[in-house]
Amino acid sequence: MESTADPYREIIRKFTAWAEEQHNIRAAMVVGSRARTSDNPADEWSDLDIAVFADNPKAFLSDCEWIKETGKYWLTFLEPSGAGHGMERRVLYEGGSDVDFAVFSTSDLPIMLSKDAPADVQETLHRGVEAILDKDERLKDLEVTEKPYRIVNLPSQADFNQLVSDFLYHAVWTAKKLRRGEFLTAKECSDDYMKERLIRMAKWHALANQGQGYDTWHGVRFFEQWADPRVITELRDAFAHYKEDDIWRSLFATLDLFRWIANETADKLGLSYLTAADRHVAELIQALHSDRT
């Protein structure tokens, strides 16, 4: 990494100077860790996230020649943005600096900055933003200081049943794939799809124990900070090697971990767990495991 200056500030400076001359680009702001001054601010491992608002986003996304105006780079590619349902161009610059340019339509700005913005957008913006380009003065009233964390709604019985049912259904699905010999498919479901549902339950578990204002971030970000230490410990042994026997072991470990998290969450929130369904699923999976030839 460059040591004489902050390479990310230099990228911001060059990008802003270039964007000022592009009529298509109307506004831009830094979001994420490099816009935060507290609550896990940027460190040496943090990337740079820039939200760009253009009249014609496709024109900006389809061309990558402009990146040369912001610095020397090794590679770039497109993928869906983490928030706001846009697309982003990810760039790895010379020296290892990584930058995500999330591109949205200028017409998206009013709703994204309002109280009616999608939850994932609010999740991003409330943690801090830094306006770096504002040709039409649409960001002039943007609060650049970090906002108090929003209160998260706890699950209803219907929400809870939905998640438990989804998890248990895919536990059976995984076992059947194992029996068929589709080991990679089974591993992917157990270690990805089912784990994502387990993490969602772990968030409800944390909120049930710590209160609705407790910060569980988004996705698995800072999981080791907000999750119950028991969950962290047991989750370490709930992933599988790409071997049939270990995928079975992982599946049973994942089921056991989910079961106690969900039961404790249900008790805390005054909900009921799908005990009978869990029992049927566990018995079926055990039978499928025991009946292998």
Side-chain angles (χ1 to χ4, degrees):
M1 299 289 290
E2 299 176 43
S3 57
T4 56
D6 182 347
Y8 291 105
R9 277 292 146 191
E10 185 64 7
I11 291 169
I12 291 172
R13 184 189 69 77
K14 290 181 177 180
F15 169 77
T16 304
W18 173 80
E20 284 280 6
E21 304 302 318
Q22 310 304 310
H23 181 75
N24 183 34
I25 301 174
R26 309 310 304 169
M29 55 189 176
V30 176
V31 298
S33 60
R34 294 193 178 274
R36 295 197 294 267
T37 57
S38 61
D39 192 20
N40 291 297
D43 59 20
E44 61 182 310
W45 312 114
S46 299
D47 64 358
L48 170 64
D49 298 287
I50 298 180
V52 182
F53 297 88
D55 289 337
N56 184 1
K58 289 184 179 179
F60 181 66
L61 288 165
S62 62
D63 176 32
C64 60
E65 284 298 307
W66 61 268
I67 303 173
K68 296 176 182 177
E69 303 292 332
T70 64
K72 295 180 180 180
Y73 70 99
W74 290 337
L75 57 87
T76 181
F77 63 99
L78 296 174
E79 72 174 29
S81 61
H85 308 293
M87 291 293 293
E88 65 184 27
R89 179 165 289 283
R90 310 196 76 171
V91 184
L92 185 62
Y93 286 86
E94 181 180 64
S97 299
D98 49 326
V99 181
D100 300 339
F101 295 93
V103 187
F104 307 95
S105 171
T106 306
S107 62
D108 292 333
L109 255 177
I111 186 65
M112 291 182 73
L113 299 180
S114 75
K115 61 181 178 59
D116 298 318
D120 57 352
V121 173
Q122 293 187 45
E123 173 76 15
T124 299
L125 296 184
H126 92 273
R127 296 186 185 278
V129 297
E130 177 189 350
I132 58 174
L133 183 69
D134 189 16
K135 295 179 181 178
D136 306 311
E137 297 189 340
R138 292 190 173 188
L139 305 181
K140 63 180 181 179
D141 296 323
L142 181 66
E143 294 182 29
V144 296
T145 56
E146 296 165 44
K147 304 172 186 176
Y149 189 70
R150 59 187 173 85
I151 299 298
V152 178
N153 292 328
L154 292 170
S156 65
Q157 184 68 64
D159 296 331
F160 189 79
N161 288 353
Q162 170 72 18
L163 182 57
V164 173
S165 298
D166 188 356
F167 178 88
L168 294 176
Y169 178 96
H170 283 89
V172 173
W173 192 90
T174 299
K176 289 181 177 181
K177 297 303 178 188
L178 278 168
R179 286 301 304 271
R180 182 184 284 161
E182 294 186 63
F183 304 135
L184 186 58
T185 299
K187 183 182 187 303
E188 182 180 43
C189 187
S190 177
D191 282 351
D192 186 3
Y193 191 91
M194 290 177 64
K195 293 300 193 299
E196 193 277 332
R197 272 71 190 160
L198 188 151
I199 297 301
R200 197 182 308 173
M201 184 62 74
K203 290 195 173 194
W204 287 347
H205 179 265
L207 293 170
N209 283 284
Q210 303 295 334
Q212 287 177 265
Y214 188 61
D215 195 348
T216 57
W217 287 76
H218 59 280
V220 296
R221 292 301 308 275
F222 301 106
F223 175 77
E224 291 77 13
Q225 294 183 18
W226 58 257
D228 187 304
R230 297 169 297 168
V231 177
I232 297 170
T233 298
E234 294 199 23
L235 186 61
R236 291 174 184 145
D237 296 322
F239 288 89
H241 293 291
Y242 182 28
K243 298 178 180 179
E244 179 183 4
D245 287 346
D246 204 53
I247 300 170
W248 278 110
R249 178 204 60 77
S250 160
L251 176 58
F252 286 121
T254 303
L255 276 163
D256 289 343
L257 178 55
F258 183 90
R259 182 179 296 116
W260 81 250
I261 296 174
N263 270 289
E264 190 166 298
T265 301
D267 289 343
K268 287 282 186 178
L269 299 180
L271 305 175
S272 59
Y273 183 66
L274 299 178
T275 304
D278 184 306
R279 184 177 66 254
H280 294 316
V281 165
E283 290 173 352
L284 175 57
I285 293 175
Q286 186 61 59
L288 290 170
H289 177 259
S290 302
D291 194 37
R292 292 175 299 159
T293 57

